């Protein structure tokens, strides 16, 4: 029974991360000035030019959102195996 609740908690965490990554990507698309400032200041992106860093920032957020969605669906499937 506790295994089943573990999947519920993991599902909630995965959905939270999915929403977080999607919100970051949407805000970066709607307000690119803030995202460009982030790209220029952040040491992970500062070695790139601003356009490339901006594109990488958006693509990576969408990729991590997809991974979180996959993990949430996997937890959902495992949870339903116990019912």
């Amino acid at each position: 029974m506790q295994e089943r609740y573990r999947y519920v908690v993991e599902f909630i965490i995965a959905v939270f991360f999915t929403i977080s990554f999607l919100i970051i990507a949407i805000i970066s698309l709607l307000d690119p000035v803030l995202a460009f400032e982030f790209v220029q200041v952040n040491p992970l992106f500062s070695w790139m030019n601003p356009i490339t860093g901006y594109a990488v920032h958006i693509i990576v957020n969408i990729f991590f959102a997809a991974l979180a969605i996959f993990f949430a669906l996997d937890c959902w499937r495992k949870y339903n195996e116990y019912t």
Side-chain angles (χ1 to χ4, degrees), residues 12-26 64-65 68-69:
I12 291 170
I13 292 170
V15 169
F16 172 77
F17 277 111
T18 301
I19 292 170
S20 299
F21 288 128
L22 287 176
I23 286 174
I24 290 171
I26 291 169
F64 282 136
I69 289 170

Side-chain angles (χ1 to χ4, degrees), residues 21-36 38-39 45 48 50-66:
F21 288 128
L22 287 176
I23 286 174
I24 290 171
I26 291 169
I27 289 173
S28 296
L29 288 170
L30 292 176
D31 187 15
V33 174
L34 184 63
F36 278 122
F38 167 74
V39 165
F45 298 107
M48 300 179 196
I51 303 286
T52 306
Y54 178 70
V56 168
H57 172 68
I58 299 296
I59 291 169
V60 167
N61 275 305
I62 292 172
F63 175 73
F64 282 136

